[in-house]
Amino acid sequence: MRIHLPADQMPTAWYNALPVMPEPLQPPLHPGTREPVGPDDLAPLFPMALIEQEMSPQQWIDIPGEVLDILRLWRPTPLVRAERLEQALGTPARIYFKDESVSPAGSHKPNTAVPQAFYNKREGVKRLTTETGAGQWGTALSFACTQYEMDCKVYMVRASYEQKPYRRILMETWGGEVVPSPVDDPSHPGSLGIAITDAVLDAVARDDTHYALGSVLNHVLLHQTVIGLEAQEQLALAGERVPDVVVGCCGGGSNLGGIALPYMTNPDVRLVAAEPASCPTLTEGTFEYDFGDSAGVTPLMPMYTLGHDFVPPSIHAGGLRYHGDSPIISALVKCGRMEAVAYPQGKTFEAAIQFANTEGKLPAPEAGHVLRAVIDEALAAKELNEERVILFNYCGHGFLDLAAYDDFLNGRLVDA
Amino acid sequence: MRIHLPADQMPTAWYNALPVMPEPLQPPLHPGTREPVGPDDLAPLFPMALIEQEMSPQQWIDIPGEVLDILRLWRPTPLVRAERLEQALGTPARIYFKDESVSPAGSHKPNTAVPQAFYNKREGVKRLTTETGAGQWGTALSFACTQYEMDCKVYMVRASYEQKPYRRILMETWGGEVVPSPVDDPSHPGSLGIAITDAVLDAVARDDTHYALGSVLNHVLLHQTVIGLEAQEQLALAGERVPDVVVGCCGGGSNLGGIALPYMTNPDVRLVAAEPASCPTLTEGTFEYDFGDSAGVTPLMPMYTLGHDFVPPSIHAGGLRYHGDSPIISALVKCGRMEAVAYPQGKTFEAAIQFANTEGKLPAPEAGHVLRAVIDEALAAKELNEERVILFNYCGHGFLDLAAYDDFLNGRLVDA
């Protein structure tokens, strides 16, 4: 069952988590002075509109009409009740998901790529640089830049660049320029932290260029809240009050934040982050100030981190490989408002294939993590004979990740 | 603008073209005797329910509830008004498309794969064989067989098997067994005609096995009419009367038939087939009785054909490579009810990329052909300053065809 929200009921403002955090967020620190950064420190990288959003005390922030015009190409996204998955599990739980795989890039990422490109364009920026891991974000930004006739250069984690030629081609089809990172060491598999360094150094070296980040930062999670805001309306249309639990997979935290933050002030709603055991930031990392990139050129952020020089094992097929986590998500986990679980990837692919068989949608490996958590929640509800309402974010499809399925089906995927 | 049809208004019967053909369709002939085939001749390959549909005089044929249950995973599909494409073209035409890319397999093919698997299962068949070219059909049948716990073996045209590993993996993820065809000559690029021979010979050799064809036959086009039936309802919701022109790309003819046949009795609606110049069945083929496969083991059908031993040039990247065409489509073209146009593939990729940039959807190479025709129609309307309403079938996405885009973007695609 799919619940469609009429186009004229699409949210016209984003939900800002900052004013309702359980405790005020600690500020980012300058990498040199270790003093709190101000707008001027960030101006070489970001347009002023995004810097304001990064620190805004306003509960609601209007979505510009020019942004809505493009988001409407695929939004509102469907809310789907996964009835055939429920039946296969024999659970009394009712499972709903937001289908973010219907976007141009096949994931939730364009929700923020479009406004980021828009605000940069409006402030005269002609070119954006960024990093990409699994390739979802680079695809989204390439698409967004094409809409505003801007240039886009993507530094792609080398392991992904080599494993995922289709992702590179899709970025190039939308006019993006893609190079493997690290740029100076062809033998290194790369990491998101290193690719961020590459992209940031490129941006600061050119006056016409800014940098765009696809997750982690407050303004990115802000833009993703359209997901949860739509879900609230659609659950009401489906006759549900609020979900008992909201689940998202978590790398940098943007898709999880997008669906979970609009529920953060309701204590009846559990919030759950699902992450990979091979990059267990929230479950095994340390909460401390750390750099956003590997070389220490970005501000320090208060977050769970595995260390900014962490390089995830190249056995790990999907995204979710960032060494740190969104400060907002980190703070919610630290204070106990949000739970976190970690899964080895074999279990996530089993869940993904069960979803593909029952619901007919092939998940991105990232989405395999949220599906593992959702299936486990549904089975726990069955054990307790409990009518749990589970809401999750189906963050993307896996059509460009089929090599990982091939590895899984043929026993070549290390189960870490 | 997307127009959603409520799930409870999904069509519950298919529209049968046979009773309203301008002239009665000539019967298929037995390959040995050259006499009209009867149900018994087809029984080794197909279940009786499909054989009846192949020849049925009924205008409407009920869709079984068990089939509707699965079709509802993705149907009704959205009808989308391509406003940003209209703006980019500066045309007064209003362009609408049915988005069949949202299905499990990413194309219209599951619309018939599901009922075919269902009827076979109901008659006790345990295993289906089939051929696939671009890979869309094999993916759809693998998905459908998984729904009914049947085995599925796919003979994949060798050139595609080698160029499209992701398609193979997707079929395997849904439990299909995939082998390259021809099975006995690893140096041959293969053709749909040869792969049909392989699949038919496999099916007749085993009692527990039937064969399934993804296009061409009357019952396949019948199952696809849900596309056009939904479009009629959705255009009405959008405030449109009937389209001035309905366009589909044409290989075997099933996606074109699906959207066009429900309009066939309305003389105000032009029907247009768009095919590749490298496999120009309708525009340069001969209308005659020919075999459906290369070896002459299938019945002879009255159709436009390039000869059953035709092997399309391996330069051609997408589907639409069949040597013949659906008898229904062939008859409509022959009597002048339907127009046909052919395009070299460079022009189709240009159209596909214009669509990707404006509407945010990456088309399958097959869909590039319908987009070329639609854009040309819209530009003709601009030339004449005419408010033409254009309806087309967006038959599938191109996420698994990105190698062809890579070739096009890098000048490696021969423009034939």
Side-chain angles (χ1 to χ4, degrees):
Chain A
M1 183 176 68
R2 276 157 300 144
I3 299 113
H4 294 290
L5 191 67
D8 58 7
Q9 291 176 37
M10 189 175 145
T12 57
W14 293 298
Y15 181 87
N16 184 10
L18 295 182
V20 286
M21 288 297 287
E23 297 169 21
L25 217 56
Q26 295 172 264
L29 304 181
H30 190 280
T33 65
R34 303 226 164 194
E35 294 294 319
V37 299
D40 290 349
D41 296 313
L42 298 173
L45 293 183
F46 302 109
M48 208 44 74
L50 292 178
I51 294 169
E52 283 169 16
Q53 291 178 2
E54 190 66 18
M55 305 169 173
S56 171
Q58 306 295 323
Q59 181 67 83
W60 295 96
I61 296 176
D62 281 347
I63 309 177
E66 298 92 327
V67 170
L68 287 172
D69 284 346
I70 297 181
L71 295 185
R72 276 201 197 94
L73 282 177
W74 70 95
R75 303 208 73 85
T77 62
L79 179 76
V80 186
R81 177 154 173 208
E83 288 164 298
R84 286 170 58 80
L85 177 61
E86 292 170 14
Q87 286 159 22
L89 297 172
T91 180
R94 297 192 292 283
I95 305 174
Y96 294 88
F97 64 91
K98 278 294 277 184
D99 187 359
E100 292 295 308
S101 76
V102 301
S103 84
S107 77
H108 63 293
K109 295 286 188 185
N111 295 334
T112 184
V114 171
Q116 288 195 47
F118 168 77
Y119 289 121
N120 273 290
K121 174 78 174 187
R122 203 176 62 177
E123 295 186 24
V125 174
K126 307 237 179 304
R127 178 174 174 269
L128 290 177
T129 66
T130 197
E131 75 295 327
T132 201
Q136 300 276 18
W137 169 241
T139 309
L141 196 67
S142 296
F143 165 75
C145 283
T146 288
Q147 301 308 308
Y148 297 109
E149 294 175 348
M150 299 171 77
D151 290 333
C152 181
K153 181 160 183 178
V154 180
Y155 293 87
M156 186 171 187
V157 174
R158 188 178 303 272
S160 285
Y161 183 89
E162 288 167 0
Q163 286 165 18
K164 299 186 162 195
Y166 278 26
R167 271 285 167 203
R168 168 185 61 75
I169 301 166
L170 185 51
M171 292 185 252
E172 290 173 348
T173 301
W174 273 317
E177 179 191 353
V178 189
V179 291
S181 163
V183 287
D184 53 2
D185 182 357
S187 68
H188 195 295
S191 72
L192 271 179
I194 296 169
I196 293 173
T197 303
D198 283 338
V200 166
L201 292 178
D202 180 323
V204 296
R206 285 180 56 164
D207 277 349
D208 65 349
T209 302
H210 268 170
Y211 165 73
L213 188 62
S215 190
V216 177
L217 298 180
N218 302 341
H219 68 266
V220 180
L221 273 64
L222 174 78
H223 299 158
Q224 294 293 356
T225 58
V226 288
I227 302 170
L229 295 170
E230 288 177 5
Q232 289 178 328
E233 301 295 323
Q234 288 163 309
L235 278 176
L237 290 177
E240 302 284 1
R241 212 175 53 83
V242 286
D244 295 290
V245 56
V246 179
V247 197
C249 62
C250 188
S254 76
N255 101 74
L256 169 62
I259 195 157
L261 295 182
Y263 290 102
M264 63 189 277
T265 61
N266 185 335
D268 293 339
V269 182
R270 288 170 53 219
L271 308 178
V272 177
E275 65 178 12
S278 59
C279 189
T281 325
L282 295 171
T283 52
E284 297 187 29
T286 310
F287 187 92
E288 63 188 8
Y289 268 106
D290 194 9
F291 297 105
D293 72 321
S294 69
V297 302
T298 71
L300 293 144
M301 290 180 293
M303 62 183 179
Y304 281 101
T305 174
L306 297 165
H308 61 274
D309 52 357
F310 175 78
V311 176
S314 57
I315 53 162
H316 182 236
L320 315 179
R321 298 158 62 105
Y322 188 56
H323 68 272
D325 237 302
S326 147
I328 289 174
I329 297 294
S330 295
L332 291 175
V333 170
K334 183 156 189 295
C335 76
R337 176 65 188 92
M338 182 179 279
E339 306 159 38
V341 283
Y343 297 108
Q345 63 183 350
K347 291 284 183 193
T348 68
F349 275 93
E350 284 172 17
I353 288 175
Q354 185 165 24
F355 188 72
N357 285 343
T358 51
E359 294 294 321
K361 290 182 173 289
L362 184 88
E366 299 88 310
H369 293 76
V370 69
L371 284 161
R372 179 75 268 156
V374 165
I375 290 171
D376 288 355
E377 282 284 338
L379 291 175
K382 178 183 183 179
E383 197 69 33
L384 300 165
N385 198 23
E386 210 179 271
E387 272 198 37
R388 207 172 285 185
V389 174
I390 303 171
L391 171 66
F392 76 99
N393 196 28
Y394 181 65
C395 60
H397 65 65
F399 291 129
L400 304 184
D401 305 282
L402 278 160
Y405 281 86
D406 202 30
D407 288 345
F408 175 71
L409 293 171
N410 291 286
R412 290 192 303 264
L413 207 64
V414 182
D415 194 19
Chain B
M1 183 175 68
R2 275 158 300 144
I3 298 111
H4 294 291
L5 191 67
D8 58 6
Q9 290 176 38
M10 189 175 145
T12 56
W14 292 300
Y15 181 88
N16 185 10
L18 295 182
V20 285
M21 289 296 288
E23 297 168 21
L25 217 56
Q26 296 172 263
L29 303 182
H30 190 282
T33 65
R34 303 226 164 195
E35 293 295 318
V37 299
D40 291 348
D41 297 312
L42 298 173
L45 292 182
F46 302 109
M48 209 44 73
L50 292 177
I51 295 170
E52 283 169 17
Q53 290 178 3
E54 189 66 19
M55 305 170 174
S56 171
Q58 304 298 322
Q59 181 68 81
W60 295 96
I61 296 176
D62 280 349
I63 309 177
E66 298 93 326
V67 169
L68 287 172
D69 284 346
I70 297 183
L71 296 184
R72 277 199 196 95
L73 282 177
W74 70 96
R75 306 209 69 88
T77 63
L79 180 77
V80 186
R81 179 155 171 205
E83 287 164 300
R84 287 172 56 82
L85 176 62
E86 292 170 12
Q87 285 158 23
L89 298 172
T91 179
R94 297 193 291 285
I95 305 175
Y96 294 88
F97 64 91
K98 278 293 276 183
D99 185 359
E100 293 294 309
S101 76
V102 301
S103 85
S107 77
H108 63 292
K109 293 287 188 185
N111 295 334
T112 183
V114 171
Q116 288 194 47
F118 168 77
Y119 289 121
N120 274 289
K121 173 80 173 186
R122 202 176 63 177
E123 296 187 22
V125 174
K126 307 235 180 304
R127 179 173 173 269
L128 290 177
T129 66
T130 196
E131 74 295 327
T132 199
Q136 299 277 17
W137 169 241
T139 309
L141 195 67
S142 297
F143 164 75
C145 283
T146 287
Q147 302 308 308
Y148 298 108
E149 294 174 348
M150 300 171 76
D151 290 333
C152 181
K153 181 158 181 178
V154 180
Y155 293 86
M156 186 170 187
V157 173
R158 188 178 303 274
S160 285
Y161 184 89
E162 287 166 0
Q163 287 164 17
K164 299 189 163 192
Y166 278 27
R167 271 286 167 203
R168 168 185 59 76
I169 301 165
L170 185 51
M171 291 184 253
E172 289 172 349
T173 300
W174 272 317
E177 179 191 353
V178 189
V179 291
S181 162
V183 287
D184 53 1
D185 182 358
S187 68
H188 195 294
S191 72
L192 271 178
I194 296 170
I196 293 174
T197 302
D198 284 338
V200 166
L201 292 178
D202 179 322
V204 296
R206 285 180 55 165
D207 276 350
D208 66 348
T209 301
H210 269 169
Y211 164 74
L213 187 62
S215 189
V216 177
L217 299 180
N218 302 342
H219 69 267
V220 179
L221 273 65
L222 173 78
H223 300 159
Q224 295 294 354
T225 58
V226 288
I227 303 170
L229 294 170
E230 288 177 5
Q232 288 177 330
E233 301 295 324
Q234 289 163 308
L235 279 176
L237 289 176
E240 302 284 2
R241 211 174 53 84
V242 286
D244 295 291
V245 56
V246 179
V247 197
C249 63
C250 190
S254 77
N255 102 74
L256 169 63
I259 196 158
L261 295 182
Y263 290 102
M264 64 188 278
T265 59
N266 185 335
D268 293 341
V269 182
R270 287 170 53 219
L271 309 177
V272 177
E275 66 178 12
S278 59
C279 188
T281 325
L282 295 170
T283 52
E284 297 187 29
T286 310
F287 187 92
E288 62 188 8
Y289 268 106
D290 195 10
F291 297 105
D293 73 321
S294 69
V297 302
T298 70
L300 293 145
M301 290 180 292
M303 61 184 179
Y304 281 99
T305 174
L306 298 164
H308 60 273
D309 53 356
F310 175 78
V311 175
S314 58
I315 53 164
H316 181 236
L320 315 180
R321 298 158 63 104
Y322 188 56
H323 69 272
D325 236 302
S326 147
I328 290 174
I329 297 294
S330 294
L332 291 174
V333 170
K334 183 155 190 292
C335 77
R337 176 64 189 92
M338 181 179 279
E339 305 159 39
V341 284
Y343 297 108
Q345 65 181 349
K347 290 285 182 193
T348 69
F349 275 93
E350 284 173 17
I353 289 176
Q354 184 164 24
F355 188 71
N357 286 343
T358 52
E359 294 294 321
K361 290 181 174 290
L362 184 87
E366 299 88 311
H369 293 76
V370 69
L371 284 161
R372 178 76 269 156
V374 165
I375 290 171
D376 288 355
E377 281 285 337
L379 292 175
K382 178 183 184 179
E383 197 69 33
L384 299 166
N385 197 24
E386 209 179 270
E387 272 198 37
R388 207 173 286 184
V389 174
I390 303 171
L391 171 66
F392 75 98
N393 197 29
Y394 180 65
C395 59
H397 66 64
F399 291 130
L400 303 184
D401 305 282
L402 278 158
Y405 280 86
D406 202 30
D407 288 345
F408 174 71
L409 293 170
N410 291 286
R412 290 193 301 265
L413 207 64
V414 182
D415 195 18

